[in-house]
């Protein structure tokens, strides 16, 4: 399925710990607590200073508002997309795909030959990952633990770059 044109021009830019408030707002809106996927503020703050980790923001040019982000790391020739979130009001506008494409380009530029990601089974983003050439490579049973006691599998995907 074709991605609709962006209704607003979005610019990708590097983020830092100064952007954690916006990241956490998007994380809450995009992930919520229903499936146990969201990271805490301290988890995000703790990983940002580590070598090979980068935060990418999707910012509306006309308002300056952050509408999406990705958090990634590249170590020993492999890269992992740790988080990718877009405000639900901006879903299906190509923002997630822009962030995903940036991740794969940046990973290749940083020397990665393979990229990985993990996603909850049933997450609609699986379609975007498959369309970008990611192939399933594994399943982690009952990986995500929801507050209501439900467990959800994690699917692992990879592709070469």
């Amino acid at each position: 399925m074709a991605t609709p044109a962006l209704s607003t021009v979005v610019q990708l830019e590097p983020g830092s710990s100064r952007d954690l408030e916006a990241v956490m707002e998007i994380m809450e809106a995009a992930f919520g607590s229903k499936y146990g996927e969201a990271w805490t503020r301290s988890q995000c703050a703790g990983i940002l200073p580590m070598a090979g980790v980068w935060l990418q923001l999707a910012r509306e040019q006309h308002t300056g508002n952050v509408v999406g982000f990705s958090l990634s790391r590249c170590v020993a020739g492999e890269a992992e997309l740790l988080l990718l979130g877009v405000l639900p009001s901006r879903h299906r506008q190509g923002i997630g795909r822009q962030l995903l494409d940036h991740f794969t380009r940046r990973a290749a530029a940083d020397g990665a030959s393979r990229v990985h990601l993990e996603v909850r089974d049933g997450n609609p983003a699986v379609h975007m990952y498959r369309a970008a050439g990611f192939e399933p490579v594994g399943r982690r049973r009952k990986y995500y633990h929801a507050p209501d006691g439900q467990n959800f599998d994690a699917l692992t995907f990879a592709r070469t770059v």
Side-chain angles (χ1 to χ4, degrees):
M1 174 187 300
T3 301
L6 291 173
S7 61
T8 306
V9 177
V10 174
Q11 178 178 343
L12 299 186
E13 63 183 49
S16 71
S17 59
R18 293 184 307 276
D19 300 301
L20 277 179
E21 192 62 38
V23 167
M24 296 312 296
E25 288 175 15
I26 293 167
M27 183 123 42
E28 175 59 30
F31 294 101
S33 60
K34 184 175 181 181
Y35 299 108
E37 300 166 296
W39 286 25
T40 65
R41 182 184 188 94
S42 62
Q43 286 172 312
C44 291
I47 200 166
L48 276 174
M50 294 182 178
V53 173
W54 73 89
L55 173 65
Q56 197 70 28
L57 305 176
R59 189 180 298 273
E60 288 182 333
Q61 285 186 334
H62 75 284
T63 65
N65 293 334
V66 178
V67 296
F69 74 93
S70 64
L71 182 64
S72 312
R73 69 176 159 199
C74 185
V75 178
E78 292 198 351
E80 181 179 12
L81 179 64
L82 302 167
L83 292 166
L84 191 151
V86 174
L87 288 175
S89 63
R90 301 303 304 273
H91 282 183
R92 303 194 59 77
Q93 295 178 19
I95 298 167
R97 183 59 188 258
Q98 279 185 283
L99 287 162
L100 182 62
D101 290 346
H102 179 272
F103 160 67
T104 57
R105 287 191 310 274
R106 167 82 187 260
D110 285 355
S113 58
R114 193 159 172 82
V115 291
H116 302 266
L117 63 86
E118 177 180 275
V119 62
R120 176 185 44 80
D121 189 13
N123 186 323
V126 167
H127 302 292
M128 176 182 67
Y129 299 135
R130 285 182 178 271
F134 284 83
E135 297 290 334
V137 295
R139 176 182 293 267
R140 294 178 178 158
R141 301 249 179 239
K142 299 180 180 182
Y143 184 78
Y144 296 108
H145 308 286
D148 67 1
Q150 282 189 295
N151 295 307
F152 302 91
D153 291 354
L155 304 176
T156 55
F157 285 81
R159 66 169 269 204
T160 56
V161 291

